[in-house]
Structures are given as C-alpha cells and as structure tokens.
C-alpha cells in the first residue's frame, strides 16, 4: 500500500506536483495519466526517492519513506523505464540478476530465478540468456527490463512509460503480457503513461493528472462514464467514449453460453472469451454478421454473441 | 547471385594487395637494395637488387611479390590464408637477404667495412607490412593471429641478428660499439615513458573525479592541463632546469634521490605535464558521458553510488579511458626521445649523438626502436580497448 498525503514537489519556483493525495491499494494497478509535464513522472520518482518531495508525506506499507534507507527502499520496488536502462556491458541474464545479486542471493538461486523469469516473459533462456542488450529488438529488451524489475520479487512495481518507445503491435503484445503477469504475481503497480487507451486497458484505477494536480482518481469505467471535468472528457475522447467502454468488457459477459462446449466449426470467424465487446462489434460490422461464435482457450465453442445484445447492453 | 553489401565477397579480387605488391616490385628493382661503406663516415657504393643478391635472389623476391600480386587478383579459393603465409615467410626471411648481401659484396680483409640497409630494402619491409595488415583485416583475424605472426617474424629476425652473418651490418656495428648502452637506453626509455604515463593516469583519474564531484573545478582544471599542452616540449624541458636546480640545492634529500636541474627529474615532470591533457579529457568525458537513463535505472534498482560507479560507469568508460592511455603512451614514447637533450637518457641519446657525429646509422639505432616501441604500445592498447568493448564485435 502506497499513500501520498499532500505531497508537493517544487523545482525552483515552478511547482511540478502540487499537494496531491493518492492512495494505492496493495495489489492494484494505479495508472497515472496526463500530458507531458503534468507531474506524473515526478510523482513516480518521488515514491522511490529518486526525487525528494518538497513537502507532504509518502508512506509505503505504513512507513514514512524518508525514515528508510533509500537503497533498501528501492531494492523492494521494481523499476521499469522507457529506455529500458539495460546495462549494455552485461548479458541478458546478468541484467536480470542485478537486484538478486545486490541482495547477495546464492548463485544457484539467482540462476534458477533468471530462468524462471525469462520463461515467464516468453524469452527462451537458452537463446537469450547470453545475448547482449544491443542484440535484442525493442520489445525483447523491454521484456528483459520487466524481468529485471520482477527479479527479486519486490512488493511494488514502478513503471515509467515502459512501452512508450515501442511500435503499436509490440506495445499491444506487451500490454497483454503485462495483464497476464499481473494476474499471476499481483504486484502493487504504479504505471505512468500519456496514452489513455493504455491506461484504460491496464488500470485498476486511473489517476488523471493536470498541471501537478490529480483531477480525477477512479476506475476506468467511472472515468469514462462520469468524467470529472472538461479536461478529463477531452482526454478520454468525447466522441468514442461508448466504444472505449465496450473495450473494457469481455465478450464472456454478454454471450449466450452453450449448455456444454462443442467443437468449433473449422475455418469460421470466432472470438475468444477474453476479447472485448468492441472487437466483437468491429468484426461483425466488418463482415456484416449478426452473431459470432465464441471459443475458449482450448478452441472449443462455448457460446455465441449477438450484435443486438452488444448494442443494447454493451455500454 | 544475391549481392551482400555488408560482407564483401571473399572471392572478389583484392585491390589493395596488388597495388602494394606491384609498387614493391618496382621499388625493389629501381632503388638500392643496400650499400657497402668502407668505414662509418664515407658514403660508400650502392648495390641494386641483382648486384646485391644475385640473379637467384632477385628472381626469388620477384617471384614471391609477383605471386602475391597474382594470388590477390585471380579467382583463387582460400586466397587470404595463402597470401598471409606467403607474405609472412617473406617478412621473416628479410634479414636472411641481408646475410646473402653481406656474404656476396663485403670485401675481404677490410675490418671497418660495413653493409648498410638501402632504400629498396626499407620499402620492401614497409610495403610487406602494409600487405600483412590488409590481409589480416580481410581475414577478420582475432587478436591471437596477429600476435602469433608478430612473434614469428620477430623471432626469426632476432635469431638472424644474433648469428654471425650480419656482423657487418652498420646498425649492429653501432650496437656493438657501445656494449650495454643499448639495453640501458631501452630500460631508461621504458621507465621514463611508462613512469610518466602511470603517474599521469593516476593524477588524471583523481582530477577527473574532482571535476565530476565539483563542477566548479572543470574550467580551471581543463584550462590548466590544456595550457600545459601548448608549451613547446623543448621549452618545458628548459624551463624546468632552474626551479628543479634550486629545489635540489635547497633540499639535499632531493639531491640524494637524483633530482637535479637536468636528468630524469625534469624529463619525467615534463612528460607527466604533457600526458595530462589527453588522460584527463578522456577520463572525464568517458565518465560523464554515461547515458542518464542507465544511471537512473541503476539507482532506481537500488544500487548505491559506489555500486553505480564500479559496476556501471567505470566499465562503460574503460574503452575511452584506455584510448586516452594509448594516445598518451605513444606521445610519451616519442617525447622521451627529445628528453635526451636534458640528459635524461633513453634512445634519444643515440639520435642526438648520431646527429652530432653525422653518423646516420647511430641515428637509426635510436629512432628505429623508438618507432617500434610506439607501434607495439599502440597495437597492444588497441587490442586491450577492443577486448573491453561491451558488446562483442562479431555480434
């Protein structure tokens, strides 16, 4: 649990963060979103004391962070940044092992953990362990960056625009990966981004920031349904809020389930249970269909979803 | 056939080696291969290739050079390994040619007569070395191969120089005329040059750290070391005579240590002063040029400043620091030769003696080892820097 109480950060005369209050519950993903210069990165960097706060109080699991040793504090917080920050003179395995080695884990435990994490992040240890960061693609490098942050199993994960420099397809893949990993490891995560779609996709709760203040802190659905101000309304997009709401809900919620799974029709268009209503509608509009079969992870057809239903109950 | 731009086709004809080999052929036939001097001062008579080595020797050299020329143009498999072997053998056999020359042309019963290496031989040596460098580059040889070649060639030269056949060679005559002096000069030269580099490396590291800790020091320190670099070297040597002389007479302890207005002390001081600029600049730039996102990530992961310095900054800065070390070392080896003017010793002694006595062979006895030392230091430090690069070159 991370609590910020009336936290302010000044750079000379300018106020970067202006008396914000924010509580991030254990295990939730809090996304700080806003345009550049709104103070979201500054807020993140104050949590691990890379920047000292000018006034106010920051508590991590009840303890005031200024009373803690900054290095010890950071060792328990995974940190992922946009440029990956991988050490170019170290191999992938050595990079991932950074924090465990700082914590003086025995070598065997470090090696086992590195393999485990590489597998978790879909990087084949035998292929990539001994490569250097310069030999990786952007997406692979950022996977290593995430693995490095998770290495010593910290309670908290701080991510500063981690996918900002990646192309759209790679970013989408890593976002899905991140959701999958989050379901497995449940870290208290603070995630900074300027991309509202990324925020809507990943967040448990979103904190919208503008000019150093938090203008709204709520779930993605509430942010879309009840934007607190003109600024938030513009940020989430005035016109396509309906579609964005649909993208928050999986097909599973509105499909008509079969009594028992049946084999899928080969070659036919089908959706996954976790695909969003927005994708379902898009496919139907594109193919001019009124309904689509839905399949589970094993490829069995578990139900159908109808266009009428999405339009009636989707938002 | 697909065209690959990154890797030149190994079967495409080479353009560099044939030019070098052709040039070598022309020069070795048109210039004097060697000279016979009746004594140290008289210029003596020059001998062309045929006169020096006979038709057999001339044909052998021409064949070898022509062979490498053809090997590099014709579509041959394993072109470069063949070329490498051929050129290496030729290089290793070069002193043997001098033995043949001495045996053929040196007059009997003339104890002062000497053989002098001519322009043709020097050109041959130089062009063959260039060819080796080119072939090694094409082979993308690792460090081991060049070192092995160097050792092979050096060993063959040493064996032949130590044998009796080359006693008449002017360079060896000069070497033997002052027994023990050559080795002493070598050690003095090495001690002065490397001593100065070591001292300036330590000093430069301390200064660079100072500049990083307190940015206010950057201008004064960089200004001071740049200023030192602008004073002509001879002037520094001269300028130091008076203050060091005064110091030595004021403090007998220093005198007992051998510090005087002339000798090793002013030489070492001047060399250190000259070495500071490249060392300080490279060390400082290398340590401050670490991308910010790396130090940010390192600190964010929980590394202490000490760990950031030793595990991140220093290893990344090392190749650039070594580059500074390389420039400094080469410069110091050259400058040490000049330091002989103020009685510091080293190979410069031979050069200035030779100039004074109009004996070019003595000049060469000082100049050649100085050049060799500089080249050797350059090669070794380049390899060291390359081996420290973060990502392997063949990534």
């Amino acid at each position: 649990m991370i609590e910020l109480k009336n936290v302010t950060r000044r750079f000379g005369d300018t106020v970067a963060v202006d008396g914000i209050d924010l509580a991030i519950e254990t295990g939730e993903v809090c996304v700080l979103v806003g345009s550049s210069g709104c103070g979201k990165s500054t807020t993140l960097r104050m949590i691990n004391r890379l920047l000292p706060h000018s006034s106010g109080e920051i508590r991590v699991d009840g303890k005031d962070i200024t009373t803690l040793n900054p290095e010890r504090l950071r060792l328990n917080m995974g940190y992922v940044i946009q440029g990956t920050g991988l050490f170019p003179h170290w191999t992938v395995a050595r990079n991932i092992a950074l924090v465990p080695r700082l914590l003086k884990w025995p070598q065997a435990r470090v090696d086992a953990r590195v393999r485990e994490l590489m597998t978790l992040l879909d990087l084949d240890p035998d292929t990539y362990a001994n490569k250097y960061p310069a030999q990786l693609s952007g997406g692979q490098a950022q996977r290593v960056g995430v693995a490095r942050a998770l290495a010593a199993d910290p309670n908290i994960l701080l991510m500063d625009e981690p996918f900002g420099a990646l192309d759209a397809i790679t970013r989408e893949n890593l976002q899905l990966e991140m959701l999958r990993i989050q379901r497995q490891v449940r870290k208290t995560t603070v995630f900074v981004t300027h991309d509202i779609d990324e925020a809507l996709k990943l967040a448990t709760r979103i904190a919208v920031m503008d000019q150093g203040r938090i203008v709204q802190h709520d779930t993605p659905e509430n942010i879309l349904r009840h934007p607190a101000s003109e600024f938030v309304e513009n940020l989430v997009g005035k016109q396509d809020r309906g579609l964005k709401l649909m993208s928050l809900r999986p097909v599973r919620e509105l499909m008509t389930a079969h009594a028992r799974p049946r084999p899928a029709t080969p070659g036919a268009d089908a959706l996954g249970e976790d695909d969003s209503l927005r994708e379902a509608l898009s496919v139907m509009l594109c193919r001019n269909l009124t309904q689509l079969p839905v399949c589970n992870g094993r490829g069995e057809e578990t139900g159908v979803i109808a266009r009428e239903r999405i339009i009636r109950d989707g938002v | 056939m697909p065209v690959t731009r990154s890797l030149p086709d190994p079967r495409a004809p080479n353009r560099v080696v044939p030019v070098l080999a052709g040039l070598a052929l022309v020069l070795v036939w048109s210039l004097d291969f060697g000279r016979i001097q009746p004594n140290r001062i008289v210029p003596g008579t020059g001998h062309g290739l045929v006169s020096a080595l006979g038709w057999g020797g001339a044909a052998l050299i021409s064949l070898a050079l022509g062979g490498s020329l053809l090997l590099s143009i014709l579509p041959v498999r394993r072109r470069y390994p063949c070329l490498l072997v051929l050129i290496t053998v030729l290089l290793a056999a070069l002193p043997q040619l001098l033995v043949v020359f001495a045996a053929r042309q040196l007059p009997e019963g003339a104890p002062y007569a000497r053989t002098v290496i001519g322009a043709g031989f020097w050109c041959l040596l130089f062009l063959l070395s260039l060819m080796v460098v080119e072939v090694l580059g094409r082979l993308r040889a690792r460090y081991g191969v060049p070192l092995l070649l160097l050792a092979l060639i050096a060993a063959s030269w040493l064996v032949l120089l130590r044998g009796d056949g080359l006693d008449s060679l002017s360079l060896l005559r000069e070497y033997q005329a002052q027994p023990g002096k050559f080795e002493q000069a070598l050690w003095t030269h090495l001690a002065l040059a490397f001593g100065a580099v070591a001292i300036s490396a330590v000093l430069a590291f301390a200064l660079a750290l100072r500049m990083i800790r307190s940015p206010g020091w950057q201008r004064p320190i960089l200004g001071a070391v740049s200023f030192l670099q602008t004073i002509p070297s001879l002037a520094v040597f001269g300028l130091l005579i008076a203050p060091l002389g005064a110091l030595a007479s004021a403090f007998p302890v220093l005198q007992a240590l051998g510090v005087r207005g002339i000798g090793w002390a002013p030489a070492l001081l001047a060399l250190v002063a000259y070495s500071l600029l490249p060392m300080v600049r490279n060390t400082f730039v290398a340590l401050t040029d670490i991308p910010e996102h790396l130090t940010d990530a390192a600190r964010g992961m929980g590394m202490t400043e000490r760990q950031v310095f030793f595990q991140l900054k220093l290893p990344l800065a090392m190749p650039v620091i070594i580059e500074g070390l390389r420039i400094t070392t080469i410069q110091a080896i050259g400058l040490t030769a000049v330091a002989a003017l103020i009685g510091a010793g080293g190979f410069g002694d031979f050069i200035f003696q030779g100039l004074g006595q109009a004996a070019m062979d003595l000049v060469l006895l000082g100049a050649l080892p100085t050049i060799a030392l500089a080249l050797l230091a350059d090669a070794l430090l380049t390899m060291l820097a390359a081996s420290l690069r973060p990502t392997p070159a063949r990534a």
Side-chain angles (χ1 to χ4, degrees), chain A residues 101-119:
Chain A
R101 287 175 69 140
L102 290 178
L103 293 170
K104 303 202 166 52
W105 286 14
Q107 190 59 45
R109 187 176 165 206
V110 174
D111 292 342
R113 181 66 178 156
V114 167
R115 287 192 77 87
E116 183 186 339
L117 278 166
M118 292 188 72
T119 316

Side-chain angles (χ1 to χ4, degrees), chain B residues 245 247-260:
Chain B
L247 265 182
S249 44
F251 300 99
V253 190
L254 289 178
Q255 209 158 13
L257 282 172
V259 174
R260 274 174 298 139

Side-chain angles (χ1 to χ4, degrees), chain B residues 139 144 172 216 232 246 343 355 361:
Chain B
L139 279 173
L172 281 182
L355 286 174
D361 295 322

Side-chain angles (χ1 to χ4, degrees), chain B residues 16-17 32 57 62 68 94 96 122 161 208 218 257 300 303 321 374 386:
Chain B
V16 180
V17 174
D32 276 352
S62 309
S68 40
L94 277 185
Q96 188 60 43
W122 288 124
L161 286 174
Q218 281 175 24
L257 282 172
M303 289 177 115
I321 295 179

Side-chain angles (χ1 to χ4, degrees), chain A residues 78-81 84 86 95-96 113 117-118 120-121 123 139-154 157-159 162-163 166 174-175 177-178 181-182 185 187 191, chain B residues 301:
Chain A
Y79 186 46
V80 188
I81 58 175
T84 75
L86 296 180
N95 265 294
I96 297 175
R113 181 66 178 156
L117 278 166
M118 292 188 72
L120 177 71
L121 279 143
L123 290 161
Q140 288 167 340
Q142 198 50 277
R143 280 166 200 267
V144 178
V146 175
R148 179 176 68 170
L150 291 170
D153 206 11
L157 207 53
L158 304 179
M159 308 181 87
F163 311 139
L166 303 173
L174 273 169
Q175 287 165 352
E177 203 93 325
M178 161 107 194
I181 292 168
Q182 179 63 12
V185 297
K187 300 288 176 200
F191 190 107
Chain B
M301 303 299 298

Side-chain angles (χ1 to χ4, degrees), chain A residues 25-83:
Chain A
E25 302 294 334
T26 304
E28 83 165 326
V29 179
C30 174
V31 177
L32 301 178
V33 68
S35 40
S36 39
C38 69
K40 52 193 194 304
S41 278
T42 310
T43 306
L44 184 90
R45 291 163 66 85
M46 284 191 290
I47 295 174
N48 66 1
R49 288 188 65 186
L50 280 175
L51 287 173
H53 44 284
S54 309
S55 66
E57 192 183 28
I58 301 178
R59 288 176 172 274
V60 170
D61 293 330
K63 288 192 206 96
D64 185 337
I65 59 164
T66 51
T67 64
L68 302 169
N69 170 303
E71 279 85 30
R72 297 243 38 109
L73 173 78
R74 291 172 197 153
L75 286 173
N76 196 22
M77 292 183 172
Y79 186 46
V80 188
I81 58 175
Q82 178 168 355

Side-chain angles (χ1 to χ4, degrees), chain A residues 213-258:
Chain A
R213 294 166 189 274
I214 293 179
V215 284
Q216 190 171 10
H217 181 209
D218 215 327
T219 60
E221 177 157 358
N222 282 341
I223 295 249
L224 282 169
R225 282 191 199 279
H226 315 291
S229 68
E230 179 103 17
F231 176 80
V232 181
E233 202 174 339
N234 282 328
L235 185 75
V236 295
K238 269 186 177 149
Q239 273 85 34
D240 60 353
R241 269 159 60 198
L243 289 175
K244 279 183 176 153
L245 273 168
M246 276 190 201
S247 66
L248 294 180
R249 301 179 68 184
V251 165
R252 183 192 289 115
E253 288 187 14
L254 288 186
M255 74 181 187
T256 317
H258 300 312

